[in-house]
Amino acid sequence: MPELSRFRENREYQMFELNGIVCVNEAHPELKVRSARVTADHIMLVTFSTGETRLCDFAEMFSDVPAFEPLRDEQAFEKFTIDHGVLTWMDGDIDISPTYLYDHSYEYSTHGELVSA
């Protein structure tokens, strides 16, 4: 397979297996969570390895991901850790893929400090 050897030599592409099928795609740096903080009821500001900070509303995810059900308890939700770039809860029993989190979050930007007169 001469095509495969070309991709093996070219570092711009990566090979991976998905459901028993070998795929070739452009290489992307692995997305990781660098920091996070809870700001409101089931809402977090998460900074990713891209340098972006995004707003994540977990309340929107509860119906899509049944495994998150225990996180409806705000106290449980607030007790997260970051393990190797992944948000986890309950000693790793619950985690969320950084890619899924990024894809289900919103752009967030600050517009300067609020100053009182």
Side-chain angles (χ1 to χ4, degrees):
M1 298 183 153
E3 303 87 26
L4 290 179
S5 63
R6 178 171 55 104
F7 288 114
R8 285 185 182 128
E9 294 169 10
N10 188 341
R11 297 288 183 219
E12 295 177 24
Y13 294 91
Q14 67 180 1
M15 294 179 62
F16 57 95
E17 181 182 344
L18 180 64
N19 298 326
I21 300 169
V22 175
C23 304
V24 177
N25 197 354
E26 291 183 43
H28 295 284
E30 184 179 3
L31 189 62
K32 294 184 178 188
V33 171
R34 293 288 178 222
S35 64
R37 71 179 169 91
V38 176
T39 61
D41 185 32
H42 295 98
I43 296 175
M44 278 187 177
L45 286 177
V46 177
T47 302
F48 293 90
S49 54
T50 61
E52 292 175 83
T53 297
R54 297 180 63 90
L55 186 124
C56 304
D57 186 349
F58 279 79
E60 295 178 357
M61 298 180 206
F62 290 139
S63 59
D64 294 340
V65 185
F68 291 163
E69 188 63 32
L71 301 180
R72 284 187 188 268
D73 176 339
E74 187 72 23
Q75 289 181 341
F77 178 74
E78 291 176 355
K79 293 181 182 176
F80 68 91
T81 60
I82 300 172
D83 185 18
H84 295 92
V86 177
L87 276 178
T88 66
W89 292 264
M90 301 179 177
D91 295 324
D93 288 343
I94 298 175
D95 64 24
I96 184 167
S97 156
T99 302
Y100 180 89
L101 187 59
Y102 185 92
D103 290 345
H104 291 84
S105 63
Y106 302 94
E107 289 184 30
Y108 176 83
S109 62
T110 57
H111 298 285
E113 278 186 67
L114 294 176
V115 179
S116 60

